[in-house]
Amino acid sequence: MRQKPPRIEHVVDGERLRAQLTAAALDNIGDQNATRHRALQLLSGALFRGRIIAQEWLEDGGQGFRAAHLLSAVQDEVIGALWDFTTIHVFRSRNPTKGERLSVIAVGGYGRGELAPSSDIDLLFLRAYKQTAWAESVIEYMLYMLWDMGLKVGHSARNIDECLKLAKDDHTIATSLLDARCLAGDEALFEELVQRYRTNLIPGQEAIYTAAKLKERDDRHLRSGASRYLVEPNVKDGKGGLRDLHTVAWIAKFVYGVRTHEDFVKQDIYTREEIATMERALGFLWTVRCHLHYLTGRSEERLAFDLQPEMARRLGYRDSSTNPGVERFMKRYFEVARDVGRLTRIFAARLEADGEKRPPSGFGRLRVGGQPARAAGPKQVPDAPEFVIDSGRLSVINPMVFRQRPPLMMRLFELGDELDMDIHPWAMTAVTRNLHAAAGMRKDPAAIASFLNVVASERNPSEALHLMNECGLLGKFLPEFGGIVARTQFNMYHHFTVDEHTLRAVGFISDIEHGRREADHPLATKIFPQIVNRRALYLAMLLHDTGKGRGDQQIEGEHQVRSAGARLGLPKEEVDLTAWLVRHHLAMSDTAQKRDLSDPRTVTDFAELVRTPEKLRLLLVLTIADIRAVGEGVWNSW
């Protein structure tokens, strides 16, 4: 793999390009059409050459983040040369007035110096005052030239007052200006915009801007599926995608003045290890996105099922004896998406600590919904001196407690379930930063007791288990489950990763138990109170897919259950029952869908397998929850 992309001067020689444009103007004096045609050839050629080199470098193993910077730099050179050609040879203003000051500014993603292969370029033509005939001619000429090069250009022409007024009323415009970068023209005019933006727009607006961007993020997540574990994720706008990292960067820049990754460390927002995680996530997601654009030939952001095998091949993921390369690639994708979620949560904790975001209620800990009054201060939880209630959520009195007493990490989620209370982002961050200690508490009696209480919760185990999985604790404490975290199955039947499917299935069992699915499953709801071994049912659901990727799913799943049960110190009878459920968790659906139900032999074989009413009840609920958790539309009347 190439470590460094080619230098921009080796891709597009700006001085040579300008000299060629000047020659074109001199060679065709008096023939504007010929001049324009030759200039368009030269500029298009430079742009094409730059894009081809960027593509070849990427496909030769280069990183997408650097390819995006290279594409942006190529575009900069072309626009800079076009500006010089336009203002010197086409509409030269020999004695420009103050009103004819004009800047060409990159905004949005292009302003950040990042450009995906098929993305639009967003430009702001910044005027000093009102529009002049000269400025209008320059802007029009440049835009038509860019369009004729085949570029998609988002553009606006405004003065500074207009920019600030619109930015104050529209946070999307405020964000685009936050990333503004001068490409050509009057740099002093651009600097004036930046200075006035910082002094007139930001002070006093930090909390409003933060709330708006977080709401925008939540709305975007809902539109793209509301889960970071969809098997056809949106690389840009999906949960755990690039836009989530952009949102962190925008808010950090607006609120804290962060400009570089080093600034995140200086502001004590992220540790250096977390910045390294961010850089790896950016590198991976940008690589996927750039390949996706080149592969489809358009601005495609959804990593569709039929594109995934080729994407895996391009990124070097090969088939192994047990795992197809495409599944290994998608596992990596979802691991990165989870890392993005953790980084977002850490940043949200910092915002709340600094009062820039009001704490929401319920499990939507990162959502902006309503504005409940801020509590006077953290209150200690009775009989649990290590924990406090902060802004209506459970937190830890000191993050160092987890390092000193790791089992308290599991107690955090048990207590949250007991109190029916959300976990504070600071506490979640503290768990994430102490995961290295999780393996050491796998045989700790206190940690095991807390874990089993969560699994058998009378309320809804899936809520606490989801949070444990999000911060990484569940897979670290229960390595059998850790083997399916972020694992995908390359088929159109499953809509989610294996771990997400599993936790949703646990939630469906809880729904049936509490009558929330009675209209759809009246029999399962009716018989649930007769179930004696409900903890075995929940454990079986949690572990039912742990055999995937190891060979025969059901046989290997049984082995995983017995390994986990022995380590957790479960009674032999409970381990045997849980292992039986996992070994035969497909038996009922296979019988219903693949056997002739009118054949007495079918009924006899199934009865001999199940043997007891208790197993029949458990298997019925397990089967329903397993199928319902696959995805919307999978369960039908049949």
Side-chain angles (χ1 to χ4, degrees), residues 591-592 594-607:
T591 299
K594 300 177 182 179
R595 298 284 298 273
D596 181 1
L597 299 184
S598 64
D599 183 351
R601 181 67 182 177
T602 298
V603 178
T604 301
D605 289 347
F606 186 74

Side-chain angles (χ1 to χ4, degrees), residues 101-108 111-112 124-128 158-160 163-164 176-198 253 259:
R101 296 169 67 199
L102 184 66
S103 297
V104 184
I105 298 170
V107 294
R112 289 193 303 274
L124 165 65
F125 293 92
L126 185 64
R127 309 185 308 263
R158 301 172 183 139
N159 61 36
I160 294 177
C163 287
L164 297 180
S176 69
L177 291 176
L178 196 61
D179 290 326
R181 182 168 56 89
C182 188
L183 301 177
D186 194 318
E187 292 191 10
L189 185 63
F190 168 71
E191 291 298 333
E192 183 182 346
L193 170 64
V194 171
Q195 187 59 37
R196 289 183 60 185
Y197 183 100
R198 292 175 180 171
K253 186 179 287 188
R259 294 290 182 273

Side-chain angles (χ1 to χ4, degrees), residues 124-131 139 156-170 173-174 177 193 196-197 201:
L124 165 65
F125 293 92
L126 185 64
R127 309 185 308 263
Y129 304 111
K130 294 182 180 180
Q131 184 75 290
I139 294 169
S156 58
R158 301 172 183 139
N159 61 36
I160 294 177
D161 289 337
E162 290 169 339
C163 287
L164 297 180
K165 182 179 184 301
L166 289 169
K168 190 171 184 179
D169 298 332
D170 189 328
I173 295 176
L177 291 176
L193 170 64
R196 289 183 60 185
Y197 183 100
L201 193 68

Side-chain angles (χ1 to χ4, degrees), residues 380-381 384-388 394-397 402 408 411-412 415:
Q380 187 171 316
V381 177
E386 303 88 355
F387 299 98
V388 295
L394 184 65
S395 190
V396 64
I397 196 166
F402 290 155
L408 288 176
R411 174 60 178 155
L412 171 73
L415 191 58

Side-chain angles (χ1 to χ4, degrees), residues 361-502:
S361 55
F363 266 85
R365 65 187 181 284
L366 300 183
R367 299 177 188 164
V368 178
Q371 293 192 352
R374 184 175 290 279
K379 296 181 180 179
Q380 187 171 316
V381 177
D383 302 321
E386 303 88 355
F387 299 98
V388 295
I389 298 173
D390 186 357
S391 301
R393 284 167 295 177
L394 184 65
S395 190
V396 64
I397 196 166
N398 186 333
M400 291 298 295
V401 170
F402 290 155
R403 184 173 302 178
Q404 298 160 357
R405 298 171 60 190
L408 288 176
M409 290 191 284
M410 194 62 70
R411 174 60 178 155
L412 171 73
F413 296 97
E414 178 191 25
L415 191 58
D417 178 75
E418 289 176 4
L419 300 175
D420 190 13
M421 189 170 290
D422 197 7
I423 307 299
H424 197 285
W426 267 128
M428 293 282 284
T429 298
V431 171
T432 300
R433 289 175 173 175
N434 287 282
L435 284 179
H436 59 277
M441 65 187 202
R442 289 173 183 168
K443 295 184 179 181
D444 184 274
I448 291 173
S450 294
F451 171 72
L452 293 176
N453 285 340
V454 168
V455 171
S457 167
E458 294 283 353
R459 202 175 62 79
N460 186 354
S462 70
E463 292 182 348
L465 290 172
H466 258 113
L467 291 177
M468 289 166 60
N469 194 39
E470 281 291 298
C471 69
L473 180 62
L474 182 56
K476 289 288 187 180
F477 177 78
L478 192 66
E480 294 79 10
F481 186 88
I484 61 171
V485 169
R487 174 176 287 278
T488 62
Q489 301 165 85
F490 189 62
N491 58 58
M492 290 300 292
Y493 178 66
H494 293 90
H495 296 194
F496 303 98
T497 57
V498 179
D499 56 328
E500 178 70 4
H501 156 74
T502 296

Side-chain angles (χ1 to χ4, degrees), residues 300-351:
E300 177 61 67
E301 310 296 354
R302 187 172 67 96
L303 191 51
F305 191 76
D306 60 339
L307 299 174
Q308 291 172 14
E310 175 60 17
M311 288 294 298
R313 187 196 67 78
R314 286 180 173 225
L315 270 65
Y317 290 86
R318 302 289 180 255
D319 294 347
S320 68
S321 58
T322 56
N323 291 314
V326 64
E327 292 187 3
R328 293 171 55 237
F329 160 62
M330 291 306 296
K331 177 179 173 64
R332 175 59 184 152
Y333 181 93
F334 291 115
E335 288 172 344
V336 168
R338 188 178 61 175
D339 286 341
V340 172
R342 291 175 183 171
L343 292 168
T344 303
R345 184 165 49 249
I346 291 168
F347 186 63
R350 171 59 185 270
L351 288 172

Side-chain angles (χ1 to χ4, degrees), residues 123-337:
L123 298 176
L124 165 65
F125 293 92
L126 185 64
R127 309 185 308 263
Y129 304 111
K130 294 182 180 180
Q131 184 75 290
T132 66
W134 175 82
E136 185 176 6
S137 297
V138 168
I139 294 169
E140 183 180 89
Y141 188 88
M142 290 186 67
L143 286 174
Y144 274 102
M145 287 287 280
L146 293 170
W147 288 330
D148 286 346
M149 291 179 216
L151 297 170
K152 294 172 286 185
V153 185
H155 66 281
S156 58
R158 301 172 183 139
N159 61 36
I160 294 177
D161 289 337
E162 290 169 339
C163 287
L164 297 180
K165 182 179 184 301
L166 289 169
K168 190 171 184 179
D169 298 332
D170 189 328
H171 293 102
T172 300
I173 295 176
T175 300
S176 69
L177 291 176
L178 196 61
D179 290 326
R181 182 168 56 89
C182 188
L183 301 177
D186 194 318
E187 292 191 10
L189 185 63
F190 168 71
E191 291 298 333
E192 183 182 346
L193 170 64
V194 171
Q195 187 59 37
R196 289 183 60 185
Y197 183 100
R198 292 175 180 171
T199 57
N200 298 345
L201 193 68
I202 292 179
Q205 297 296 309
E206 292 90 346
I208 295 172
Y209 179 83
T210 299
K213 298 311 291 184
L214 292 178
K215 183 179 186 306
E216 177 186 287
R217 182 204 60 185
D218 293 339
D219 292 344
R220 172 170 44 80
H221 287 170
L222 288 174
R223 290 193 301 271
S224 60
S227 172
R228 65 173 53 92
Y229 302 112
L230 292 169
V231 294
E232 291 189 311
N234 187 302
V235 178
K236 178 183 175 185
D237 293 325
K239 194 171 186 179
L242 276 169
R243 192 61 84 207
D244 282 0
L245 290 174
H246 294 161
T247 299
V248 168
W250 289 328
I251 298 174
K253 186 179 287 188
F254 196 96
V255 175
Y256 300 110
V258 168
R259 294 290 182 273
T260 66
H261 288 175
E262 182 65 24
D263 290 342
F264 277 103
V265 178
K266 292 177 180 178
Q267 293 276 9
D268 199 27
I269 297 171
Y270 292 134
T271 64
R272 294 196 182 279
E273 290 78 11
E274 288 157 355
I275 285 297
T277 298
M278 175 187 283
E279 290 172 346
R280 285 193 297 270
L282 281 168
F284 179 84
L285 291 172
W286 265 109
T287 300
V288 172
R289 188 185 184 201
C290 287
H291 276 293
L292 197 55
H293 281 206
Y294 282 129
L295 181 60
T296 60
R298 62 181 183 273
S299 184
E300 177 61 67
E301 310 296 354
R302 187 172 67 96
L303 191 51
F305 191 76
D306 60 339
L307 299 174
Q308 291 172 14
E310 175 60 17
M311 288 294 298
R313 187 196 67 78
R314 286 180 173 225
L315 270 65
Y317 290 86
R318 302 289 180 255
D319 294 347
S320 68
S321 58
T322 56
N323 291 314
V326 64
E327 292 187 3
R328 293 171 55 237
F329 160 62
M330 291 306 296
K331 177 179 173 64
R332 175 59 184 152
Y333 181 93
F334 291 115
E335 288 172 344
V336 168

